[in-house]
């Protein structure tokens, strides 16, 4: 029987697919017909999402990997190629917001782990998976960033996070130019302020340690109902990914029906 889903026959890798935006994105891609490779550290969460994807009639390969560890990044790329023969769609979504707090008080290892996870793992996975996309003449790379890159001064106490997301955006736009004419696109996605474990984790931090103003900002956006659902954010990402745009900064707040304020894009 003909499968007329837009992504039928395509395989997608989503990092950080066990929960939050990554999980919702993996489910949205499966709903559009893609088979999935799911990557994160928590086996139970990956197994649950894989089950949901199989219920949609698509295949799902969970891969446990720690993308803060350079060896984990390298073996993850190899394992993805082994189980899939190469993916058509890569969504680099896994990230951490830690370490938070004054830059002078940060732990050096924490800084380096965040750089590896938020930036270098995305660059390395892209490098490992790109040859197959280019050979096939079709590919979609989406790097999940944050709207904070547009106003870095707005997240005092989040210097490492802001640094990593700005670097990821520069990487993406440069990559898109490099890939011009290959059929492989690369875009940034700013997902909005989304109701996930990451937001909850920030609200649970000691305000004295991470900074009162930063803490209050996250508590207020939750209390005022300004968070959007992961499903809403993933739906916008999917809609953009189905097109041919490249080198773009996609922001959920600019999606049709939104008003520039993620709160109203529920
Ligand atoms: N939520 C927001 O409001 C918001 C706003 C702007 C941007 N973002 C961005 O959106 C993306 C997703 O965020 P989220 O809110 O959905 O976060 P989340 O709920 O914390 O989920 C993060 C995912 O990444 C995985 N992950 C974390 N560390 C990992 C590691 N070392 N190795 C492999 N996987 C790892 C987690 O699984 P394990 O812990 O099991 O590994 C989980 O599946 C991130 O890039 C984030 O920066 C989020």
């Amino acid at each position: 029987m003909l499968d007329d889903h837009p992504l039928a026959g395509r395989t997608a890798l989503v990092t950080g697919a066990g929960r939050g935006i990554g999980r919702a994105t993996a489910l949205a891609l499966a709903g559009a017909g893609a088979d999935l490779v799911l990557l994160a550290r928590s086996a139970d969460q990956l197994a649950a999402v894989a089950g949901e994807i199989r219920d949609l009639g698509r295949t799902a390969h969970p891969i446990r990997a720690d993308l803060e560890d350079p060896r984990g990044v390298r073996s993850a790329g190899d394992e993805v190629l082994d189980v899939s023969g190469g993916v058509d769609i890569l969504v680099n979504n896994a990230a951490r917001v830690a370490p938070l707090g004054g830059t002078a008080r940060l732990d050096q290892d924490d800084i380096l782990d965040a750089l590896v996870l938020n930036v270098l793992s995305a660059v390395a996975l892209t490098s490992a998976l790109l040859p197959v996309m280019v050979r096939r003449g079709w590919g979609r790379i989406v790097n999940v960033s944050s709207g904070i890159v547009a106003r870095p001064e707005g997240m005092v106490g989040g210097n490492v996070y802001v640094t990593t997301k700005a670097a990821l955006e520069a990487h993406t736009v440069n990559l898109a130019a490099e890939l011009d004419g290959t059929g492989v696109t690369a875009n940034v996605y700013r997902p909005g302020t989304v109701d996930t474990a990451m937001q909850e984790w920030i609200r649970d931090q000691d305000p004295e340690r991470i900074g009162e103003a930063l803490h209050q900002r996250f508590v207020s956006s939750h209390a005022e109902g300004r968070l959007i659902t992961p499903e809403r954010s993933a739906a916008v990402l999917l809609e953009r990914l189905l097109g041919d745009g490249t080198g773009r900064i996609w922001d959920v707040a600019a999606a049709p029906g939104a008003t520039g304020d993620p709160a109203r894009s529920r």
Side-chain angles (χ1 to χ4, degrees), residues 96-107 110-111 114 118 148 154-165 197-219:
R96 52 187 269 177
V97 70
L100 295 178
T103 301
R105 288 167 47 190
L106 299 181
D107 178 84
D110 250 1
I111 296 170
N118 292 10
I148 200 63
M155 193 176 176
V156 171
N159 184 270
V160 174
Y161 184 71
V162 173
T163 300
T164 62
K165 293 302 190 185
M198 183 181 278
Q199 287 271 337
E200 194 180 343
W201 182 85
I202 301 170
R203 294 195 300 274
D204 284 348
Q205 298 308 296
D206 177 359
E208 260 185 51
R209 190 182 62 78
I210 71 166
E212 293 279 355
L214 181 68
H215 184 260
Q216 190 51 44
R217 195 177 118 201
F218 283 88
V219 168

Side-chain angles (χ1 to χ4, degrees), residues 6 13 31 45-46 55 65 87 134 155 173 202 213 216 253 258:
L13 166 65
Q45 295 182 356
L46 287 175
D55 288 346
V87 297
V134 171
M155 193 176 176
V173 176
I202 301 170
Q216 190 51 44

Side-chain angles (χ1 to χ4, degrees), residues 15-22 39-42 45 65-68 93-96 117 144-147 161 165 191-199:
T15 69
R19 59 176 186 262
I21 296 163
L39 193 151
R41 291 169 302 182
S42 306
Q45 295 182 356
D66 184 353
L67 298 179
E68 285 170 28
N93 163 78
R96 52 187 269 177
L117 173 60
V144 179
S145 180
S146 165
Y161 184 71
K165 293 302 190 185
T193 307
V194 189
D195 195 0
T196 67
M198 183 181 278
Q199 287 271 337

